[in-house]
Amino acid sequence: MAPPLTDTRVLDLSAGSVGGIATMVLADFGAEVVKVEPVGGDPWRSLAAAPMWLRGKRSVELDVEAERRRLEELIREADVVVSTDSPAQARARGLEYPDVRALNEAAVFCSITGFGPTGPYAEYPAYEALVSAKSGRMLSFSGQRLREGPGFAAVPVGAHGASQGAVQGILAALIERQRCGLGQIVETSLLQGLMPFDLLLLLLTQLAEREPEVYPQIFNIGGGMPTLNYHPVMSRDGRWIQLGNLLEHLFYAFMDAADLTLLFAEEQWQGGQAEWTPEATEEMRDRILERMQEKTCDEWMEIFRAQGNVAAEPFTPTHDAVDNLDMAANGDTIEIDDPDLGPVKQVGAIAHLRETPAEISRPAPRLGEANGYSWTSRNGHNGDVPMMTTPNGTTPSGKPLDGFTILEFATIIATPIGVSMLADLGARVIKVEPIGGDPFRGMGGGPLRGLLAAKTNAAKESICIDLKDPDGQAIVADLIAQADAIVHNYRPGVPDRLGIGYETAKAINPEIVWVSANGYGPDAPGARRPSAHPIPGAAIGGALFQAGSAMPPPGCETIEEIREASRQLMRANEANPDPNTGLLVASATLLGLYAQRRYGVGQEIYVNMLTANAYANSDDFLQYEGKPARRQVDGELYGTAPWYRLYEASEGWIFFAALRDEEWTAFCRKAAPALEDRDSVDEHALTTALVELFAQAPASEWESRLTAVGVGCVRADAGPVGEFLIRDEHVLANGFSPVANHRRLGDVRRWGALTTMAGGRDDYGPGVLAGQETDEILEEIGRGGEIESLRSAGVVWSEPVELE
């Protein structure tokens, strides 16, 4: 069957990788993408990853002012128009949504900006690091290196979030267009793209202010040594391995594979880890670190893979991760012959759709090779719902997935946070949890217990069911009959045992979209191995990139040196790999729902963590002859170049970004005339000069002076993420932290949606408690009379509103 977006016409007016990746995903799944480039081409064509994000498209070189009529012809026949103009640029070029709608009311218009459509930062340059610094994210890396001040946030997760937010919004808008016949505006931004990566601080900041005696003010999570479950370890040959055995049974599997289980016979290590004294924990840490030095990395990995229940992978730089054997076996790396570059090895499709798979074959186009191109005729497909419909009098609601029901069988972060994005788009999400709830609800300890789950379960309903009980499986069968999609993160074989395998679900509901998300993918050698967020962080290179050029050190001779290196590596391997994966879970599910509505088919869909993190690191995840090297982060985590770096001001810290020649010229003319010819000064000398310059005035003054002339410069230490999201006037002006009523916590600001649809709304749902809607859902499926007996038999459950 044809890919889901076959015959969909996408006009790509974007510049750079964020819009480029969004429209590439659409092209991968069948869309006809025409990229309109200014005379001379997209200014970011020189980026190393451009051959990837330009693939599958047609290039039209066009002066949009001089050739306006030609541009309008393309807009009139497009289904989707994608722009990365700032609000002022769009206004000046006459390419705001009302301009597009006047030409084509059925077109979906996707706007991707840096900070959002309004507010005091709307015209700041759209650079990832500026948004990261301004929003407080870089403060979360303070302490990674032993110096004062914020740390550079290396992996471009905001760009990854914004590109997938655009994909999700576009697909949801196309689904809604089939109902109402109208397009709508879809808005996302780098700032919204960063929203999935704060899992706690927005909520904790509010609670700490409300009840300071109860809730700790923790703003720099993970500053100490790693847990024993999530520990980087050094092998005999000096290579590092990341462990990711979050759950207790996985930790014991590691201890067994490492031949350390005899230690549990000693008195200080009786019971679970929570019962060990701090001294016992530190002694166990040393025993593990010593043991891991007895074999080489390859020897340990052979043991761990053979054991089958140990989550572990070597630390690998991204440019080498392209050769990952699991990804190759799963079909997640592909090779395309480029007419200029030769073979280009790169990441493949975001997901495997069994019935409507991606088709990727065409390389990046040469500039202007499709000049004069006209849209091809629509072919139509058997059973196809018409691409365009006549307006029926209804208008887009801001909830394009209203009417869809998604069943979630998933735990911890990666998959649940992805499904929450679908809930924010209006889908009804029923989270089916085990008795006792998702284990993530119990993590954190003390007053933090349950807070983490508020983010991952936002806007859902919850029912707790014993899936090993026949009565529990019968309840689930009733739910499947009324659902549009199932999303789970079990390892292969487990869904079948629990009554939610694809064949079982398909027999109940032939059009069900069945999405599986796990570590490695179904066709990889590691398909049945466990994974957790540090694993792809290490395997795909994000952790080493964030660690900076000083890590790992060339030689660690003492346990103290190994401990410190492991601390820094774990700080670098932060939680981003889980949300990175969740973003693809949401996009893949929407591709399946669109195919379901268009072709009337259900199907299996597979998403994995390695591919998701290859997308988040796609600036370096490709190989070809002559590829420019990824600029490394310096050893002290300031940045990647003198013109893209943290600097200490006379008061506070700034992040300075002047990547383009015109930005550098504007900066020099405003503040440093002697540095205008930067090519004549080596980077070390240039950095020294800028250190001296920025030390002459406060951070806030530099921000106001340089942003006034269009140069990227923001204060980087104004406050942590939580404070920014609840108080900053720009966030409030854009509605990026709406208020929701949580059953236990009351009215609290929650994280805004990744994508704003049809101008936005203010009724986003809160996080839910485990089993909060158990009774209501049972009533709905006709089992109201069984509630008491099911509860007494332990088949269903709900957690109490008040914590014990």
Side-chain angles (χ1 to χ4, degrees):
M1 186 171 289
L5 293 170
T6 299
D7 292 340
T8 305
R9 298 168 175 173
V10 177
L11 187 63
D12 183 359
L13 305 179
S14 72
S17 63
V18 180
I21 289 175
T23 55
M24 179 205 77
V25 171
L26 303 180
D28 287 351
F29 285 93
E32 181 182 1
V33 179
V34 173
K35 179 173 176 61
V36 173
E37 304 191 58
V39 176
D42 185 325
W44 304 106
R45 265 185 173 261
S46 61
L47 292 177
M52 182 268 293
W53 50 259
L54 288 169
R55 74 186 183 205
K57 305 176 185 178
R58 306 182 190 278
S59 171
V60 173
E61 189 178 18
L62 191 70
D63 184 328
V64 298
E65 294 182 5
E67 301 175 84
R68 181 73 182 197
R69 182 174 298 179
R70 170 73 175 126
L71 178 63
E72 291 181 353
E73 288 173 358
L74 291 169
I75 292 174
R76 285 191 180 95
E77 298 299 321
D79 298 301
V80 178
V81 178
V82 179
S83 170
T84 52
D85 284 349
S86 74
Q89 289 170 332
R91 191 160 49 249
R93 299 207 304 165
L95 287 173
E96 296 179 283
Y97 176 53
D99 302 308
V100 171
R101 185 178 57 197
L103 295 168
N104 181 354
E105 66 177 1
V108 173
F109 181 80
C110 179
S111 170
I112 308 170
T113 57
F115 285 85
T118 191
Y121 318 139
E123 294 302 323
Y124 281 18
Y127 292 131
E128 165 105 7
L130 284 178
V131 182
S132 179
K134 187 65 179 175
S135 65
R137 176 169 164 77
M138 288 193 185
L139 278 176
S140 67
F141 292 102
S142 61
Q144 181 181 319
R145 292 293 287 170
L146 299 177
R147 66 165 179 84
E148 296 296 319
F152 181 70
V155 180
V157 295
H160 177 53
S163 66
Q164 293 305 315
V167 170
Q168 293 164 28
I170 289 166
L171 289 167
L174 289 173
I175 288 172
E176 189 165 38
R177 190 179 71 168
Q178 290 179 339
R179 289 203 296 250
C180 70
L182 293 172
Q184 61 183 281
I185 185 168
V186 173
E187 296 167 294
T188 190
S189 61
L190 292 173
L191 181 53
Q192 288 166 278
L194 286 175
M195 289 283 186
F197 300 93
D198 172 39
L199 299 173
L200 178 62
L201 295 185
L202 167 60
L203 181 58
L204 183 57
T205 300
Q206 297 171 80
L207 297 178
E209 292 180 354
R210 184 188 299 175
E211 299 181 74
E213 71 285 357
V214 175
Y215 294 98
Q217 295 197 27
I218 302 174
F219 300 122
N220 196 5
I221 303 295
M225 292 298 294
T227 67
L228 300 184
N229 308 67
Y230 278 1
H231 214 297
V233 293
M234 191 181 79
S235 58
R236 189 175 70 197
D237 51 353
R239 296 174 63 192
W240 287 79
I241 299 171
Q242 174 70 61
L243 305 177
N245 301 291
L246 175 63
L247 301 179
E248 186 177 51
H249 71 283
L250 300 179
F251 176 68
Y252 286 123
F254 158 72
M255 294 292 284
D256 178 58
D259 198 20
L260 289 170
T261 53
L262 288 176
L263 293 176
F264 295 132
E266 298 185 25
E267 183 178 354
Q268 67 265 43
W269 295 310
Q270 297 290 307
Q273 286 189 53
E275 300 173 45
W276 298 352
T277 65
E279 293 76 16
T281 298
E282 294 311 307
E283 184 178 350
M284 179 64 81
R285 187 190 312 278
D286 290 347
R287 296 284 190 96
I288 291 171
L289 293 175
E290 289 166 356
R291 174 67 173 138
M292 296 307 293
Q293 293 178 75
E294 296 178 15
K295 297 182 186 296
T296 67
C297 177
D298 289 344
E299 288 171 337
W300 279 123
M301 288 309 303
E302 184 177 355
I303 291 170
F304 294 154
R305 289 174 180 135
Q307 204 280 346
N309 215 28
V310 177
E313 287 291 343
F315 282 81
T316 306
T318 298
H319 55 80
D320 288 342
V322 184
D323 293 322
N324 183 280
L325 296 179
D326 283 289
M327 290 190 68
N330 204 56
D332 294 319
T333 48
I334 60 174
E335 189 170 278
I336 300 177
D337 284 325
D338 187 280
D340 298 318
L341 301 172
V344 180
K345 194 173 183 180
Q346 58 196 274
V347 67
I350 61 170
H352 295 271
L353 279 65
R354 294 303 198 206
E355 297 296 325
T356 60
E359 294 180 0
I360 308 171
S361 59
R362 294 211 327 266
R366 291 188 173 110
L367 174 63
E369 70 177 25
N371 283 352
Y373 181 79
S374 297
W375 297 112
T376 58
S377 61
R378 300 187 193 274
N379 298 317
H381 298 273
N382 187 33
D384 193 357
V385 173
M387 294 286 295
M388 295 250 193
T389 56
T390 303
N392 62 13
T394 61
T395 57
S397 63
K399 300 179 182 181
L401 296 186
D402 187 25
F404 286 82
T405 298
I406 298 169
L407 302 181
E408 176 197 310
F409 299 85
T411 60
I412 315 298
I413 299 172
T415 303
I417 203 170
V419 182
S420 72
M421 297 170 194
L422 303 175
D424 282 346
L425 288 169
R428 181 190 187 189
V429 173
I430 300 175
K431 182 179 178 71
V432 182
E433 306 188 52
I435 303 300
D438 180 339
F440 194 50
R441 294 182 180 277
M443 293 181 185
L448 300 183
R449 180 172 173 265
L451 295 188
L452 289 162
K455 172 69 172 281
T456 55
N457 297 314
K460 301 174 184 177
E461 300 170 33
S462 173
I463 180 172
C464 292
I465 305 175
D466 182 355
L467 294 182
K468 297 178 182 179
D469 187 289
D471 288 336
Q473 292 187 8
I475 295 169
V476 167
D478 290 342
L479 294 174
I480 292 173
Q482 301 177 23
D484 298 283
I486 290 171
V487 185
H488 76 86
N489 65 352
Y490 289 115
R491 284 191 267 170
V494 176
D496 296 312
R497 295 198 297 271
L498 298 180
I500 60 169
Y502 178 63
E503 293 301 327
T504 300
K506 181 181 177 183
I508 298 169
N509 184 342
E511 293 188 4
I512 197 76
V513 172
W514 188 90
V515 182
S516 169
N518 63 19
Y520 296 89
D523 303 316
R528 294 182 179 273
R529 292 180 62 211
S531 186
H533 88 258
I535 298 304
I540 303 300
L544 282 182
F545 188 34
Q546 179 60 53
S549 59
M551 283 284 128
C556 292
E557 297 182 357
T558 67
I559 283 292
E560 288 72 22
E561 290 173 332
I562 294 173
R563 286 168 64 100
E564 175 56 19
S566 70
R567 182 194 72 81
Q568 292 195 37
L569 285 171
M570 192 60 227
R571 281 297 306 277
N573 201 356
E574 54 134 0
N576 75 60
D578 268 343
N580 287 340
T581 305
L583 288 158
L584 263 59
V585 168
S587 297
T589 305
L590 277 158
L591 283 165
L593 292 174
Y594 188 71
Q596 179 193 67
R597 287 301 188 263
R598 185 172 179 190
Y599 300 140
V601 298
Q603 61 183 307
E604 297 169 90
I605 298 175
Y606 293 90
V607 179
N608 69 75
M609 298 184 81
L610 294 181
T611 298
N613 283 276
Y615 267 81
N617 289 275
S618 61
D619 59 312
D620 196 38
F621 194 91
L622 67 171
Q623 294 175 353
Y624 57 88
E625 189 70 27
K627 171 179 162 269
R630 188 186 214 179
R631 271 190 169 268
Q632 293 303 298
V633 182
D634 68 274
E636 291 300 318
L637 296 187
Y638 291 115
T640 56
W643 46 85
Y644 204 68
R645 189 185 187 277
L646 286 159
Y647 290 95
E648 188 171 10
S650 64
E651 179 184 341
W653 289 75
I654 58 121
F655 190 87
F656 171 61
L659 293 178
R660 300 177 67 175
D661 288 342
E662 55 267 36
E663 294 167 339
W664 182 259
T665 298
F667 160 68
C668 290
R669 291 177 180 174
K670 182 69 175 179
L675 299 178
E676 188 161 348
D677 185 10
R678 62 175 161 182
D679 293 335
S680 66
V681 183
D682 71 73
E683 291 192 13
H684 177 74
L686 191 56
T687 299
T688 300
L690 291 175
V691 166
E692 294 174 355
L693 174 69
F694 287 123
Q696 296 174 14
S700 56
E701 181 178 329
W702 283 118
E703 179 172 344
S704 61
R705 286 175 61 187
L706 295 183
T707 56
V709 294
V711 175
C713 180
V714 298
R715 182 164 185 175
D717 65 340
V721 169
E723 292 183 9
F724 177 80
L725 292 178
I726 65 172
R727 267 191 280 278
D728 190 273
E729 61 177 315
H730 183 89
V731 172
L732 300 179
N734 284 280
F736 288 162
S737 56
V739 175
N741 184 264
H742 188 279
R743 183 167 292 188
R744 178 178 292 157
L745 304 174
D747 284 347
V748 289
R749 290 196 176 275
R750 51 149 283 179
W751 296 264
L754 176 64
T755 309
T756 304
M757 306 295 298
R761 57 191 179 88
D762 58 6
D763 59 342
Y764 293 102
V768 296
L769 304 181
Q772 183 169 307
E773 287 79 23
T774 292
D775 291 357
E776 291 90 333
I777 293 170
L778 290 173
E779 289 275 5
E780 183 180 333
I781 61 175
R783 292 179 176 267
E786 305 172 45
I787 291 175
E788 186 174 342
S789 62
L790 289 169
R791 284 188 176 277
S792 62
V795 177
V796 300
W797 180 83
S798 300
E799 72 170 301
V801 174
E802 298 298 327
L803 285 171
E804 297 178 1

